Structure formats: C-alpha cells, structure tokens
Amino acid sequence: MAGPGVTETRTALVKKPRRAPLPVKEFKGKAEPDWCPGCGDFGVLNALKSAVAELGLRPHEVLTISGIGCSSNLPGYINTYGMHTLHGRALAVASGAQLGNHGLKVVVTGGDGDGFGIGGNHFVHAMRRNLDLTYIVMDNQIYGLTTGQVSPTSRKGMKTKSTPHGSVENPVNAIPLAIVCGATYVARGFSGQQKHLIELIKGAIEHKGFAFVDVFSPCVTYNKENTHEFFKQRTKKLEEMGHDPADFHAAIEKGGLWGDVIPIGLFYRNAEAPALDELEPVLAEGGPLAHRPLDVSDENARAVIAELM
Amino acid sequence: MAGPGVTETRTALVKKPRRAPLPVKEFKGKAEPDWCPGCGDFGVLNALKSAVAELGLRPHEVLTISGIGCSSNLPGYINTYGMHTLHGRALAVASGAQLGNHGLKVVVTGGDGDGFGIGGNHFVHAMRRNLDLTYIVMDNQIYGLTTGQVSPTSRKGMKTKSTPHGSVENPVNAIPLAIVCGATYVARGFSGQQKHLIELIKGAIEHKGFAFVDVFSPCVTYNKENTHEFFKQRTKKLEEMGHDPADFHAAIEKGGLWGDVIPIGLFYRNAEAPALDELEPVLAEGGPLAHRPLDVSDENARAVIAELM
Amino acid sequence: MAQTDFSVGIGGAAGQGVATPGTLLAKLFVRRGLHINAYNAYQSIIRGGHTFLTIRTGEAPVRCMGDELEMLIPLNQDTMDRHVRRMRPGSAVLFDGGKVKPEGAADGVQLCPLPLAQLAKSPLHYNTAAVAAVLRLVGVECRPFEEMLAEQFERKGDAVVAENVAVARAGYEYAGAHFRPYPFALPDTGKPLAVATGNECLAMGGVAAGVKFYCAYPMSPSTGVLMWMARHARQLGIMVRQVEDEIAVINMAIGAAHTGCRAMCATSGGGFALMTEALGAAAMMEIPVVCINVQRAGPATGVPTKTEQGDLWQVLGAGQGDYPRLIAAPISIADCFHTIPQIFNLADRFQCPGIVLADLLESEGFSSLDPAELDFNPPRDRGELIGLDGSPVPSGEGYERYRQTESGVAPRALPGTPGHAHVVATDEHDERGVLISDEFTDPHKRQAIMERRQRKMDGALPLIDPPRVAGAADAEVTLVGWGSTWGVIAEAVEKLEREGIRANHLQVKWMVPLHVEAIQQALAKARKIVIVENNYSGQFARYLRSETGLVADAHIRKYDGEPFLPHHVVEGVRKVLAGKTKKYVPVHEIRV
Amino acid sequence: MAQTDFSVGIGGAAGQGVATPGTLLAKLFVRRGLHINAYNAYQSIIRGGHTFLTIRTGEAPVRCMGDELEMLIPLNQDTMDRHVRRMRPGSAVLFDGGKVKPEGAADGVQLCPLPLAQLAKSPLHYNTAAVAAVLRLVGVECRPFEEMLAEQFERKGDAVVAENVAVARAGYEYAGAHFRPYPFALPDTGKPLAVATGNECLAMGGVAAGVKFYCAYPMSPSTGVLMWMARHARQLGIMVRQVEDEIAVINMAIGAAHTGCRAMCATSGGGFALMTEALGAAAMMEIPVVCINVQRAGPATGVPTKTEQGDLWQVLGAGQGDYPRLIAAPISIADCFHTIPQIFNLADRFQCPGIVLADLLESEGFSSLDPAELDFNPPRDRGELIGLDGSPVPSGEGYERYRQTESGVAPRALPGTPGHAHVVATDEHDERGVLISDEFTDPHKRQAIMERRQRKMDGALPLIDPPRVAGAADAEVTLVGWGSTWGVIAEAVEKLEREGIRANHLQVKWMVPLHVEAIQQALAKARKIVIVENNYSGQFARYLRSETGLVADAHIRKYDGEPFLPHHVVEGVRKVLAGKTKKYVPVHEIRV
Ligand SMILES: Cc1ncc(C[n+]2csc(CCOP(=O)(O)OP(=O)(O)O)c2C)c(N)n1
Ligand SMILES: Cc1ncc(C[n+]2csc(CCOP(=O)(O)OP(=O)(O)O)c2C)c(N)n1
Ligand code: SF4
Ligand code: SF4
Ligand SMILES: [Mg+2]
Ligand SMILES: [Mg+2]
C-alpha cells in the first residue's frame, strides 16, 4: 500500500522504530491564535505541537479535529490537516475519519462544553468502542467563546453569566466517567505544566485505543475561580502519589478528588484492549478504506445479483 | 396550595404517613399491551403498576414518560398521566415536567437503545443534576421495535440484524455509569423476579432524587442469547451477597460483574444528596410553577423597567 | 393475446408470516421472467393488527400494485371479512378451510378452502401448501417450486426437503382436484429477472457507487439499508457501523467522506431532522456525503410503517442559512439503485451533500429488476481530488483549498497528502480555510464566498436530465408528480386513456437543482395541470410554485398513510375535469 | 425647527470596550426623552479585530442606525483609518490625541484630539472623559452624566465617584475650550424613555407572557435572553436552566409546558436545527411551547456575530411531515417584546408550537422604548385548559384529549388533574390518545386526525393582524420586507420620497399562518414590487410566491453579514427603476 496512511498491526506499531523529532516550528499554523493573552489554551497548543514534533510525526500524517469554542479554534493554529466541525461533534467526525483512514493519527481537541455538554453522548460511545483517537479537552470549567456561561465542569456554587447566583448542579466528573466508559488511556494535565503535559499527550498519541487527556486550561477572562494560581496550588502529580495506572478502582477514586489536592497525570491505562480498527475485519487488509479502489469485482456483483434471483 | 401537585419538603416527604394501597386494577391503561407473548416488558409493567398501587399513589398523581421503542409503549398501558415522547428524549421531557410541577411523581420508562443509545447525553446529565425522577429501563440488550439490531447493551460478539457476524464493540455498563454520573439510587431488577422488582421500584419512587432501575426484560423475539432462562440462571440478589449500598466503590465493582453471576438489587443509594428541585430557590415556595399565576406584580414590572431607564 | 396482469393479496395479523408466501411467489414469478411489483401494508405492531401484501405480476414491467386483485389469500378471518367484498367475479379466494369462513363473497368469486391441517402435518408448512395451490390455479407447474424448496432447505437435510416437497405436491394436487384454474396461465418469458426491495436497491446502489463507509441508526422504513449493508459488509469490503444516534451517523459519515471514502447513511424523517445541522456543515466544509431520507407518515413519530411524501420542505429547509445541496427523489424501486451513483458523482464533483428522498412505498415494496440493468460499475466521477491513492501529488506550493474559481469548485486534498495540510471549517473561512468569522470579518469577502459556494449548483444543473412530459402532447390534462408516484400516475394515465380522457404525465425526480426552465417549457402548453402527491399540504406544488411560478389547476392528495392506487388518481382527474373540485382527496378502501 | 438626527459611531478592537461609552450615551439620550437605535457590528473574537457601534438619536422614533455619522470616535488607529474618509463636512472626529493620528479627513470635518492621558489618570477613565466631551459638543449639560456616574459608582464609595466626576468635568471643559460645538443642541423632551436590546425585549416579553420555565443552551446571538432570564429568575419566580444541549432544551420546555407552565427557549439557527424534531413532537402531542430562533449568518457555524435572515426555510421545513406551527418575525426591537405574549396566546389557544424568528440586528441592537408601552400584564389567553389551579375540574367522565372538534382544538387536562389521566403521544393516536400506529392503523382515522390538526390554523388566522401597505396608494414602487428590516425600509421609503420617488411599503411579520388574501389584495395594485431581504436565495420571496403566487419585479438582497442601511435600499430601488437590474446586491461600506 503506497497510500498516505498505512495499516499497522499492533505488533508493527509497538516494534516501530522511533522517528527523529521534527522542529516544532514545522507545526506553526496558518493563523495566529486569537485567544486572550494568558489563556490556558496557548499552553495546550504548544504542548500538542511539541508532542507531535517530538514523536517525529509529519504534518500531513496528523488530522486535528475540533468542535466549536475558543479551544476548538486550535486546528487553525497548528500545521496539520484539520477539521473545525460543529459544536459537540468533533468525536463523531473523528470516529468516521479514523475508520475512513486508519493510517492517520487523529487528534481531537475541544472544550469542556463541547465535549461533556453537547458532545456528551459521542464521548461516552467513542470510549466504549475504544476508537484509536487522542482526545484532548481544554477544560476551563466555563463556556469561553459564548462569554462565560456555566459549563458541565463548573463547580457547584460557581457564579457565571447564566448562574449569577451560583450553579446548583453537580459537575460532570470526567476522569471516572472516562474510566467506566471504557477509555483505555485516561490522563489529566495542566497547561501550566508544559513538560508533564507534553509527556501525557505523547503517551496518548502513542497509545493504541481511546486516549483521553483532560487539561486544566484556565479561562482568564470568564473564570475567576479556577485560575492558573488555583491549579498551580492544588495540582499534584500522580506519579508522586504512588498511583498505579493499572488499578481501575484506585483510578476512579483518584479521579474523583477535588480539593486541596487535585491529581494530574496518568490515571488509568489498559494497553491490551484492542482498538476498534483492530477488531473490524474489513480493515484487516487492504489499507485505509479511503484509498481502496471503488470498483466492484465481477464476482461480487454476480454474487449480489444471484441473491436476488 | 390547592393545586393538584403539592410541594413537599424533604422532611415532609420523609414524615409523610404511608398511604393505603390502591387496587392494582385502578392502573389498567386504555390499551392492551401489544408486546409479543412472553416479552419481559409485561413483568415490568405489572411491577410498576403494583408499586404505584402499593404506595397508594392515585393515577392522576403520576406522570409516566417514555421515548420510543417496544418498552416505551408502556405509558399507554398504565392508567396515569402519560407522555409518549420522541426516541431518546424521555428524560429531557421528564426533567422539564418534574420542574414544571414538582408535586407530580414522574416515572420515566423506556428501552436500552432509547436511554443509553440516542438518549445517552440526557441520561448522563439528568443524573448529575439529581433530578427527582424514577427511571426504569427495560433492558433487553437489543432494539426490539425496529426488529432486532444491536443495542448499546448488546454483549460483544452478539449477532443481531445489524451485526450478523457479531458485535465488535464493548457494551455500555449502565450501573457503574449511573453511579459515577451521580445517580443517588441505582438498582437492577429482573422482570422474572416480580416481588424483588416491585420493591426496587417502590424504593425508587420513594427516593428523593434520581433513581435508576435497570431491568433485565428479555426480548423473546429478537434476543436469543439473553433469554429469561439466561437471567434466571445467573441473576443473584445483592441482598444475599452482603453488599452495602452505601459503598460507592463496591457498588461500581458489583455493577461491573457479568458472568456466571450477575447481581441484581440495590447497588447504591445516597439518601442525603438534595434533589435539584430542593436546591432551586425558585421552587422554595409558591407551589408548582405550572399553577402559579402568570400576572407580574406592579413592583416587579416597575423594577424591570427601572433598569432600562 | 392480452398481457397477463395478475395480482394476489395475502393478508393476516402481524406475526402470521404474510411475507413468507409473498416472497416465495415473488421469486417464482421473477424466475419465470415475469415482472412484479409488490407492496406490504404492515404495522409497527409485532403481533396482531392487520397486514396485507399485494403482489402483481405480468410480462410487461409492473409499475405499481394496481387496483384489483385476482386472488385473495386471507390468513385469518379478519382479512377475509375486510377484503372479500372487494373481490370481483372471476377472482378466487384461497384460505384455510378449517379456520376461516368466507362470507359476503360476490357471485362468481371462486371460494377455495384448503384443508391445510390435512395437507400438512405442521402449521410451519401451511404456506408451502398454499403457494403450491396458487401455482396450480395460475397454470404453473410445481417443479420450480419444488426446486426452490430444495434450495431453501438443502442445509437441513434430505428429509426436510422431502417433507416440504411432499406438502407442496399435496397442495398442488388438492387444488387441481377441487378448484377451477384461472382461464389463463402465467407464462415463462425465458428471461429470468431479479427481485429486490427499494431498501436493497438503495444499498446496492451504494455498492455500485463505491461506498466504503456506511453508518446508520435504525429507523423504519430505512433500516433495510443498514441490514443489507451489514450482511454484505465483509464480502464487499464496506465499513458498516450502527452508532449511538443520527447526529453521530451523519457526522461520522462526514468524517469518513473527508478522508476520501464515499460515505453514505440512511434514515427516516425524524432521524433526518437530527442530521440537518451537519448537512449544512458538510456544505460549508465542502465535503461530499450522501444521506438518504426514506420518508414515512409524519409528523413526529407519526405512523412509522406507513408511507408519505411529507419531508420535501424538511429537506429543502434542512439546516440554517443558504447552502448548496443536491436533492433527488427516485421515481421507482429500480431508480433507487440508479440514483445513488448519480448523486455521488454530483456530490463528489461539486463537493456538497446529496440527499435522496425515497419513501416507504419504495423502500419496503419490492419490484422485479432486469439483472442486466444492475450495473455495479457505472461511471464514477470523483471530482477534483488530490492525493487519492495512485494519483500523482503536486507539490502543494500555494495550495488553497477554497480557491475562488469560476465553477465554484477547487481541488480537494485528502488528509494524509504531503504538502497540502489545511483546515476545513464550519465557520466562514477564506481561500486558505482560515476563519474570517473569528479572525476578521470582511463583508466583501463573505459575499464573494457565499456566491462561490452557491455558484456550484449552476454547474450541476446541466448534468442532470431535465424532466420530460410522457404521453400525448395535446392531452386534456397533465398529471405532475414527483418521486415514488411515477408508477401509479403512469398507470392512471393509461386507465384514463381507456376511459377516453387524454392525459399526459410529468414526473420530477431532481428537486435541487430544479430544471426550472425545462419544467416551465414542458408545462407551458398544458391545458390543465393536476399535481398528485402523497402529503397534506401540497409540499411539491408549493415548491414548484415558489421556483417556477407555475400554479396548478387542481391537486390530488393523500395523507392517510397508504399509497395512491391508480383508480384514486383516475377518480380525482374525473372529478377535476367535471369541475367538481380543485383538491381531491381519495378515501382509501380499507385494506389495512 | 428640523428634528434632531444625530449619529455617533464608536469603533475599536474587541476588548477595547466599545460598548461602555455606547451604553453611557444611550442612557443619557433616553433619559432626555430622545429616541435611539443602535447596532454593534462586532466579532466572535475576544480581543482584536474591529468592532463598531453606531448610536443614532433624535426626538422622533429612530427606526434604524441610518446612513451617516455626525460623530466618529475611533478608539484605535485602525478604526480611524477605516472610517474617517466617510465623515462629511460638519461632522466631528473625537479621539485620543496621544494615540491615534487622523489622516485623510475631508475638509470641514472637525478633528477633536482629546489629551486623555492628561485628562484622566487611568485608562479606565478614558471613556468617561470622552463621553463628557461628546456631551459638550452636542450642547448637553454635564450634570446628568455626573449623576449617572454617581449612581454607577455609589457602591464603590465617594472617592471613586468624585474621581469619575472630576474626569468627566475635565473632559467636558477641555472640549468646551478646544472644540467647536455642533450648531444644534440635543433637546430634552421631558419624557424619559427606556432602552433595551432585542434580546432583553424577548426575555421581558416572556415575562409579560407569564413564562415560568425558560431553558437554553448558549448560542450567539441569542444568549442575551438566557443571561437576562438568569439574572431575573429569582426576582420574578422563573425557573431558568442552562442544560446539556438544544435537544434537551426544547424537550425540557415541552415537558414543562405540558404540566401547564408557559415555557420558552431561545437559540440560533444551529441550535434550532437540533430542535426541529421536537417541534414536530410538540405539534403532535399538541403542547404549546415557544421557541425563539435568533438568526445569524449561516450556513453551519457561519459567522456567529453577523446578521442574516437566512432561516426562514429552515423554520418552514422544521421537522418531518406537515403540522401546525405559528411563525412570527418581529419587525423591530420593541416588537420583540410584544410578539412573545401574542404568540403564546395563539400557541396556548391552538395547542401548537410557536416559533419566533428574530435576528442579530434586533437581538444585539438596542432601541429606545416608551416605558408606557411595556405592558407586563397584557391580555393572556390560555386556551381551553382543565385543572389549572383554581379552575373548576369537571368529572372527567368521557374525557377525550383529542376529541374531533370543529375548531380542531379540544380541552387540555393538565397532569395532576383527577379523573383526566391520558397519554399524549408522538405516534399518531386517536381521540383518547391511544396509538393507532401500533395498535391498529386505519387510514380513514388518520386522514381525519391530520385534517383536525391542520384545521387549527384556520382559527388562528383571523386573530392575527393582516399586514397593511404603509404610504402612498399610488406609489411607483412597493417595497416588501419581512421581520427586522421594517425600520430600514421605512426610512428608505422616506428617503426615496425626498428624491422624488414615490414608494410605499408592506412589512410582513406573521409567516405562518400567512395572510395570503390580505397580501394579495394589498399588492394587487402595486406597480412594481421589490422584495428586500437579508439573505442569498430570497427565502421570503420564494415563500411568498409559493403561498400567494405573487412574483416580485425585483429583489434587493444582502448576505455579507451586515444589515441593510437605508441608502442600500434607496440605491437598489433607483437601479431597479432605471431598469438596470432585477436583483440588486449592495456592496457594504467597510465599517467592520
Ligand atoms: C449547536 C450549537 N449550540 C451552541 C453553540 C454556541 N457555542 C459555541 S462555543 C460554545 C461553548 C464553548 O464552551 P467550551 O466548549 O467549553 O469551549 P471554550 O470556549 O470554553 O474553550 C457554545 C455553546 C454552537 N456553536 N452550536
Ligand atoms: C430519531 C429516531 N431514530 C430512530 C427511531 C427508530 N427507533 C424506534 S424504537 C428504536 C430502538 C428501540 O430499542 P429500545 O430503545 O432498546 O427499545 P425496545 O424496542 O428494545 O424496547 C429505534 C431505533 C426513532 N423512532 N426516532
Ligand atoms: S475567553 Fe477564556 S477561553 Fe476564550 S480565549 Fe479568552 S481566556 Fe481563553
Ligand atoms: S419484539 Fe421483543 S421487546 Fe418488542 S414486544 Fe416483542 S419480545 Fe418484547
Ligand atoms: Mg470551556
Ligand atoms: Mg431494547
């Protein structure tokens, strides 16, 4: 298969020699980010660019897909193929794209509203299918682009433009949710911790299966509670807490912590579970679907017609 | 408040004297069920009718809301107020109805496809809000009404009309999902265990907050794997397994079991968490919204206009 | 000799297996090279109710189920009671003599009670005996049926085959001994045909188009497409997925299409409603994707197992804002097959979504097809693509995905192609794909981009056959229909002719782009225009008026869930010509 | 004396706070009893880009932002460069002399550099100084502004108030000393007015209608409704919820409406697309619910902060099948307020969904309002309801929710009412609410039910004011518009009059039901019909043709994201009358 994407079996993938890193500047996108100065999303963009560069991926091998939101503007700021889809639909589009050409590295980026609010159903189902996607959520606990309404990750009591007296709802707890839904790589980063975040994202991209990286990415304009400072004071690396990412129940427990200590790092990993494209016999040979010839063999045409007679 | 629904505070609710049970036949609906003979849904219907009758609820006090599916035909077969809404939307409609008149007992019924497939996002969010709803899913691991396609709860490998070679996806695991999402009463029943199911449903209705009852309700026509016999052999009551419904992690663990033993019973309960209507100050006094007068007081009108001047 | 025109109706409760004898007869007919058209009036209900399958056959192509039955097979008393009064002299009623009582049959209707319990040991074989008896009455030998049974039960072993064949023979012989055969015999044209439902044709049309990605969420009456695709996925190398909801369906299809697959999905009106936002997104990102809406009776959940042409305005208004989209309504079951490659070629060429508007009449009905017409490798036009496997890749220097071109179309580089990385966006964007909404809004740019996108439809129009009037140029009345009603209107025209009313017929398949001028010309000389459509509000009549200004003289409409029968149209035309009405709504004879 | 007509434009990058001086000036004007109309041409971007706010004021009602500026306040160089050339002699440009350089101003344009860094210690106070300077130039005393500052900063203590007042005085005095005031002074009519955005009017209209349940998912440009509602929820006893997505929004609203609440929601086109299925469901269950679609430029995500009238066909085709729905497009910001109670009354009476089609021009614009016209207790018609608190409850014996009635409407018993338990269903159902789809399908019943539901719209039409032609009966040209363009067309008509072109004007607000006959009559004598609309494809022109057969002589359209200005319409009419075009698309002067 000479196509731009190549089918790789799990073994081939694991054995694949490390590629030489690319300069990060190769990934500079066509547009300058229009985020507010200080927005956490800059850190996520930089970490993602560094991660793909360090992994030696070339721009055309990566497809970055987002929904709509401040954070979802990311594909415009990175030099890879990109899709800036509808609000909440990035994971659905990405599922189709990954299966359409499973030789691509598909990275999905977006916001907490996009992913856990309107996009919640795709989130739940993409995870149980263990699609080979990297999903990075820039979680700022607010709706940024629409200028500051409550989000599914806003903490109870938080005052926003749509909850001026404080939210009365419990937030979605994305980490435990991802774990019970079947994601096979579940991590949390903080945009203020670049190196750590780059490693988490690299791990996610290299992971074969659904890799979820929830990133605290403060909205400096509309979220005055969960600020850079807030996270700086509270985040603590799981690696320093003696956490074992193979321990399902501990991962759920750690994922539920929110207080003076908020863990970041790799909560859970299951490297054994096959990804959907590995389980789908149609992909077993023949390369990416997108590049297969459209012709129907005479044999198949005859067989189909024979059924009708 | 003389309205048909009455605001009840948590205390009042708890203190409320038990009502005399009604005869079950009071709840016989206008139409005869058109389910296939042997369908598990008969058992769920009977259990629900018994539960409301035993609790002494009167038909007009209950609002039964469903989506679309074989199971979702239920509201037509029970003499309460009913809404037979769109496929997947029962919980959303019910959320509005419960807040519109929080004096009603709102019971939501439907199928696995309806609730965990297309309705998944409402499921996740209704639970985190801890809306005061009873949600009964007739889980037959198949799409019955559309004549037998794969469902989000179909087990991996299951052959259905849309997966003739066997499903390659992991099923949704509804019990752990409900627990991490914030449901405060999480149970599983089997339509073949009537008494047990009646008690679970009674508990759910009496519970203030989101009560989820997943019921194994075999589709005798399209699911030849998960039959009455299948569940009869495997289901085991949690009450007999020494399970403590207050234990969050044990509940998740037990909820994940699927093998020779499949637990049924009450997995998890949190009786302390306030329900959304209790947290919403607008409902604190004045009775159900639906019955409040529409007039705007002069004072309020003046205040609103004053802001504009 | 007059052409054969034979219809049989089989009715019973849901769960009684009306479909089985229907399918057997259909196969037997097409194997003799006879054409057929069949419609199953069924219900959501799993057991009970009333379903009624009509199969009509003859040497000439059969365009609709027709008005009359030559044979009735009531599987229960209810069916007998509903239908027997409609049987004409010369027709026959075949039934289980031990279970069903005939009452109210007209003189000259042959009553044929079969002692099924005697002829077959198990009720499982009743259908076999009944089908054999039908064959005897229509003068067809039993052997082909025996061969069919042998094929069908081969895997179950010789004993089962023998048992079935024995029952068939018993039924055949009993009928020969006790009933009067029809005065004609069904011929064998010597040129066997195929038979398929509209859903199967839509699925196979996808195969012919080269679809590599199909996803769906089940919804009657479109689920047949999913099930056919799922059954053939591995054999044909198609990725077939059932996913969480219709929003996921269309968005996944868009994702797959963007990588270069031909991607398709099918649903019905309710699912389509959920897809409308994403169709606009496909148009904005300029990704070709094909979505089939198999209409059923609405609104809302409506009557899931009943037919209607009620979604035209929904597809015309799908999603916010103006955007280019292709909309085609296949005019027959066979056309369901051909429409799919056609619309994919246009969608690929003009990089926009294509919507196919079929309906339950087509999707759940079945029809004979000439196997020679099932071309699985029709012409395929992928449009301007860069990076499709094997095609040479330019350097990418200065590549602009959304270049301003005269045609409105610019080459589409597939993800994975070196040197062409770009972003496709649902926000308004400039030539390079850079957002103008967030970055910097410029009304002049926006205007030019809107015009470029819309311009694409100008190029599509000449590639589509303009609709033509069939029949006499000097007709008294011109019947205008769209989509699935082609067959029933065509037959009504012939019936009118026989009654001395000269009618002609214009059937419109392509809704967007619409051949406005061709239609205006075609209808310019029409003396009386009557629009026939299967919905309440005259969705097509209103659309036609909005685009062409043509005002029909009268309307024939139906919105009771059942399809038109030819005599409904004939009666409507008669009433209209007599000046009795400008809007005729036939009352359906209860068949269901 | 000529009436005052004064416009000021304030431009800068997003994040520079264009809105603040705008809001201050608006309040100062309305407190003098002056009318205003304002439009903010903004962008999605949080920082940067270019936003431009126009406020126009005068003694007479101001219907649109107008064509010309008397004053320009560029907050950055970019704004200066874009706009200064458009300033006419006699106008003034006020700017931060330390930061912005004027270049290219025409002779006779007064340049007014303010030394802001001198006048105010902190950039936070620059706006205060600038506003004060404006007041000086338009001959208005400083005191009301000082009072306003005192109100605003009261909570922050006397020192802050004093500081602000000092800056205001400094700006005021500097302007008096260095710049030439306009030759007129803004009067005080002595009758203070209110000011509100269209979004606020929609929200307050909901309050006036008696809305008890409001839910939404944020979407520009409708989010203002949610934010107003959220701020006032507790005070006014309204349940306000932001929920997971728009599908949940509409379904929750339906649930609340079914219990008896007046329930409302608002979104824009993309969110509306997701609601279409449920609107059909509301119609099928016959639950009154009101959904506002505040249109923005599409398709897809489109240009979220730009205006368009691009969703008419979307709302007309929302959801599968034919069903009764009400659709109204408010014709001004004030009309946003009045439309909500009107549509609720009809929705309640006819038990069907009501759709309000506003747009960004209205929703984000702001306008003066006569407080006396803000009636928060307008007539309310709840229709036929059983069990609403306090109303007597009949026994319920023989109650049929969907009884066949002449009007098509049957009384609606609220859940909780003893003796009236019934099921409302999205499947087709009989009088009692029992499904006919699953249970037993009967085409005759189905037909009668469809006719009953649709019949309801016949009753609604007479309750709606028919649109009337404004202006000269013998006009050369009749301008036809719909929804938000009322103001700009009305002004264009006056401008044309001044140029010697007699035009008149028909503005249509109610799309469904449409006053077909009234419109046909109103336009029967029109000599030349020109339809003006803010979209690409002429959605209204096509709809009007579909329903009335009226074919316009020419069209004026705009689809660049910016609203029409009066001179666009005037120029279009001129071109049309000169026979130069049948479709005029103005080129927007870059203001944004
Ligand atoms: C269907 C639809 N509904 C609503 C919107 C409006 N909208 C755009 S972005 C957004 C939420 C943004 O929040 P989040 O996803 O958390 O991203 P952030 O801006 O915070 O990075 C919303 C509601 C939309 N574009 N489409
Ligand atoms: C939007 C939409 N999509 C699809 C359907 C078709 N549909 C009806 S019921 C159903 C699934 C039924 O499965 P489940 O919810 O498990 O209920 P069951 O019939 O098994 O009780 C589907 C897909 C629909 N009515 N609406
Ligand atoms: S509004 Fe918030 S999330 Fe958006 S760019 Fe600004 S800081 Fe970032
Ligand atoms: S198809 Fe299955 S779920 Fe539906 S009624 Fe029959 S047995 Fe029950
Ligand atoms: Mg966010
Ligand atoms: Mg099911």
Side-chain angles (χ1 to χ4, degrees), chain B residues 111-113 138 140-144:
Chain B
D112 39 317
M138 286 158 261
N140 55 12
Q141 300 82 34
I142 197 88
Y143 281 25

Side-chain angles (χ1 to χ4, degrees), chain D residues 87-323:
Chain D
M87 301 304 292
R88 291 167 309 164
S91 69
V93 182
L94 186 77
F95 54 99
D96 183 346
K99 207 173 89 182
V100 177
K101 296 281 154 274
E103 229 165 84
D107 283 353
V109 174
Q110 183 186 188
L111 297 175
C112 311
L114 274 177
L116 286 177
Q118 281 168 41
L119 299 172
K121 272 189 231 123
S122 146
L124 280 177
H125 297 145
Y126 285 4
N127 281 329
T128 307
V131 166
V134 174
L135 295 180
R136 183 67 185 81
L137 291 180
V138 295
V140 166
E141 60 285 25
C142 196
R143 177 165 312 271
F145 185 36
E146 292 170 17
E147 283 163 12
M148 192 185 280
L149 291 168
E151 282 166 34
Q152 199 182 332
F153 296 107
E154 200 180 357
R155 278 169 313 157
K156 301 206 172 167
D158 288 348
V160 176
V161 170
E163 201 179 338
N164 271 278
V165 168
V167 171
R169 286 203 188 136
Y172 197 83
E173 276 153 28
Y174 186 91
H178 297 83
F179 312 142
R180 198 171 57 246
Y182 288 94
F184 56 85
L186 288 189
D188 187 332
T189 71
K191 197 174 159 288
L193 296 172
V195 58
T197 65
N199 274 335
E200 289 167 342
C201 284
L202 291 165
M204 292 186 299
V207 175
V211 164
K212 288 279 170 278
F213 188 90
Y214 181 84
C215 65
Y217 188 77
M219 185 161 193
S220 309
S222 70
T223 314
V225 184
L226 170 62
M227 299 195 302
W228 193 97
M229 282 290 192
R231 272 200 315 278
H232 295 83
R234 299 200 182 168
Q235 173 191 354
L236 300 173
I238 300 174
M239 169 75 72
V240 177
R241 305 228 69 79
Q242 179 183 322
V243 298
E244 60 271 27
D245 59 24
E246 287 90 350
I247 302 179
V249 166
I250 182 72
N251 282 288
M252 284 193 201
I254 289 171
H258 184 60
T259 64
C261 296
R262 279 194 160 177
M264 181 168 94
C265 57
T267 182
S268 186
F272 186 84
L274 295 171
M275 296 184 175
T276 57
E277 190 199 12
L279 286 165
M284 194 66 158
M285 296 187 285
E286 304 191 41
I287 297 172
V289 67
V290 170
C291 172
I292 302 168
N293 176 354
V294 183
Q295 299 163 95
R296 70 190 204 189
T301 310
V303 201
T305 53
K306 296 292 155 192
T307 199
E308 199 165 271
Q309 297 182 294
D311 288 359
L312 177 58
W313 277 60
Q314 172 165 243
V315 300
L316 290 169
Q320 64 274 27
D322 285 307
Y323 63 85

Side-chain angles (χ1 to χ4, degrees), chain C residues 30-42:
Chain C
V30 296
R31 287 186 175 183
R32 299 180 78 76
L34 294 174
H35 284 275
I36 67 152
N37 185 293
Y39 179 71
N40 189 4
Y42 70 114

Side-chain angles (χ1 to χ4, degrees), chain D residues 349-371:
Chain D
R349 180 138 163 193
F350 298 101
Q351 303 174 359
C352 68
I355 300 166
V356 177
L357 205 50
D359 61 25
L360 185 142
L361 172 65
E362 294 173 329
S363 80
E364 305 270 11
F366 42 100
S367 167
S368 50
L369 301 164
D370 183 347

Side-chain angles (χ1 to χ4, degrees), chain B residues 95-111:
Chain B
S95 300
Q98 201 277 330
L99 296 169
N101 183 343
H102 63 294
L104 296 168
K105 281 282 175 208
V106 182
V107 176
V108 184
T109 59

Side-chain angles (χ1 to χ4, degrees), chain B residues 34-41 70-71 140 142 144-145 217-222, chain C residues 46:
Chain B
D34 68 350
W35 292 313
C36 306
C39 177
D41 296 350
C70 291
S71 42
N140 55 12
I142 197 88
L145 190 60
S217 177
C219 170
V220 296
T221 306
Y222 297 112
Chain C
I46 308 280

